[in-house]
């Protein structure tokens, strides 16, 4: 089932119409973006109402997961309306990392540097207890790698209260932009300044809760350090 | 038409069902978030296909704009399929700023600190030339305040090639989370560490293009400086 080398944009609905010069086709670039990103936006069509709804979600990734192209997991409360509406429906998961602001010589050519992936697929509610438990650990470890192994196991009650949505990674497209302005030749010839402001996300030192005991766990300290280091190296 | 003091979540479809303890009702908090955020995700239902599509977009805001509650402007190519599908349709604009990762004592209580607003409304294609020109300037100035006044005017051809979508700000909801973990009492009693990793976006010094002439414009240098200063002060 899993296909990890197929190029991106494998279907009509994941074919990029505009801005093809920003198209990314390597599936490894999608995997790297998913690794960098901390949140995604999950868009569903609200049942009954028929309008779109996009919500920010934490996510986890299992490239060897049971869905076509690997699995992206999203979790939410079992009582959340949007999650119920997503079951067996086509959903869209969009992951965007903003890398810079592009100041061109004209308003028209102002732009942003970014990496963004759009994943479209049929959402599957994860019923099986073992897969749901594993998905929750993947979501925690996506946030803070190595964290789940240091925690007590989730209780049956906690797992019962959590709905997990699985989205196949196969139908994905990706675009990216980097660098400076793409100005008109006559604007460049007229002189003047153009360029970009690089943006990155940095982490502060972990802040312990008032009731915390002991030193900052190694996985947490490492995550804070690496988030900042990875952004600086990009 | 414009209502800027009405509380958020004014309608059934912008009423938050879950996590009401994170609900934000002050409209000024929405305005502050829109001011901080650099991108939004615009979700539409793809005409014909019927599935949702969420795309990252730059945006501008006119609190005194012609739409109910003020106007959020999004622009794109006139040839973009998603923009054509948004005309007179209900769209969702979601704006999320990620502020931290929350490391609880259980997987279940891992969370994120964030501010996120969901705006639902009927999208209006901006036909009038003057409003479209103004919207483009607002989008540029949202990215880099003061920038549009330093640029040559947009040409008719550029304005003709740009589609602008206006979304009323009235029907918005907002949630926010800050601080440490919300652990179970028995997990707290058992001791152990919990806390959060603060995240912020910082800007590097503006990078001039190879063909740039002159010093970095004041508006660009100020934007880079203030993005970093504002994040540090939060």
């Amino acid at each position: 089932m899993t296909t990890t080398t197929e190029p991106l944009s494998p279907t009509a609905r994941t074919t990029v119409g505009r801005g093809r010069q920003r198209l990314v086709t390597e599936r490894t670039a999608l995997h790297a973006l998913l690794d960098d990103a901390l949140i995604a936006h999950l868009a569903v069509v609200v049942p009954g109402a028929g309008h779109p709804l996009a919500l920010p979600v934490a996510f986890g990734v299992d490239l060897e997961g049971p869905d076509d192209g690997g699995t992206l997991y999203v979790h939410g409360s079992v009582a959340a309306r949007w999650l119920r509406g997503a079951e067996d429906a086509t959903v869209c998961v969009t992951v965007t990392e903003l890398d810079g602001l592009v100041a061109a010589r004209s308003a028209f050519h102002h732009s942003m540097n970014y990496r963004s992936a759009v994943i479209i697929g049929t959402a599957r509610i994860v019923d099986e207890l073992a897969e749901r438990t594993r998905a929750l650990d993947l979501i925690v470890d996506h946030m803070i790698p190595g964290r789940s192994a240091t925690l007590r196991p989730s209780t049956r009650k906690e797992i019962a209260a959590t709905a997990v949505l699985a989205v196949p990674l196969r139908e994905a497209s990706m675009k990216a932009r980097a660098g400076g302005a793409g100005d008109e030749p006559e604007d460049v010839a007229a002189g003047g300044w153009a360029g970009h402001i690089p943006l990155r996300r940095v982490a502060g030192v972990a802040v312990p809760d008032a009731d915390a005991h002991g030193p900052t766990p190694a996985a947490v300290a490492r995550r804070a350090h690496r988030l900042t280091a990875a952004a600086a190296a990009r």
Side-chain angles (χ1 to χ4, degrees), chain A residues 1-230:
Chain A
M1 198 67 155
T2 331
T3 55
T4 49
T5 55
E6 182 185 37
L8 296 173
S9 301
T11 54
R13 64 184 181 180
T14 52
T15 298
V16 173
R18 298 285 313 168
R20 297 186 62 87
Q21 74 284 3
R22 299 180 185 172
L23 193 67
V24 176
T25 56
E26 304 77 27
R27 201 156 275 272
T28 50
L30 168 67
H31 299 165
L33 169 60
L34 293 175
D35 212 43
D36 281 348
L38 294 170
I39 61 164
H41 281 81
L42 171 68
V44 300
V45 177
V46 178
H51 67 76
L53 178 66
L55 292 174
V57 288
F59 67 94
V61 173
D62 183 359
L63 293 183
E64 305 300 321
D67 301 278
D68 204 1
T71 303
L72 182 141
Y73 289 111
V74 166
H75 74 127
S77 161
V78 286
R81 285 176 298 180
W82 59 268
L83 249 180
R84 289 202 308 263
E87 182 165 9
D88 294 330
T90 304
V91 302
C92 173
V93 178
T94 303
V95 176
T96 305
E97 289 282 278
L98 184 62
D99 295 328
L101 305 177
V102 181
R105 294 171 181 89
S106 62
F108 188 73
H109 284 296
H110 272 64
S111 189
M112 295 198 182
N113 289 331
Y114 64 92
R115 292 158 288 149
S116 184
V118 172
I119 300 151
I120 293 172
T122 304
R124 172 174 65 89
I125 296 275
V126 178
D127 287 318
E128 205 224 334
L129 199 72
E131 187 185 2
R132 219 190 307 175
T133 306
R134 178 172 154 69
L136 293 180
D137 284 348
L138 284 170
I139 293 168
V140 166
D141 287 341
H142 188 90
M143 200 183 303
I144 303 171
R147 178 76 176 152
S148 72
T150 70
L151 304 170
R152 65 159 171 80
S154 292
T155 64
R156 278 181 170 277
K157 195 180 150 194
E158 287 170 343
I159 293 170
T162 308
V164 174
L165 215 63
V167 180
L169 284 171
R170 177 172 177 255
E171 278 193 76
S173 61
M174 182 171 166
K175 289 174 84 172
R177 190 197 192 283
D183 273 316
E184 300 298 324
E186 55 270 32
D187 289 328
V188 175
W193 192 93
H196 71 281
I197 299 174
L199 298 173
R200 62 199 169 94
R201 180 176 53 227
V202 298
V205 174
V207 179
D209 285 358
D211 55 14
H213 293 278
T216 305
V220 175
R222 197 163 48 231
R223 181 52 155 165
H225 176 74
R226 288 196 181 163
L227 274 174
T228 302

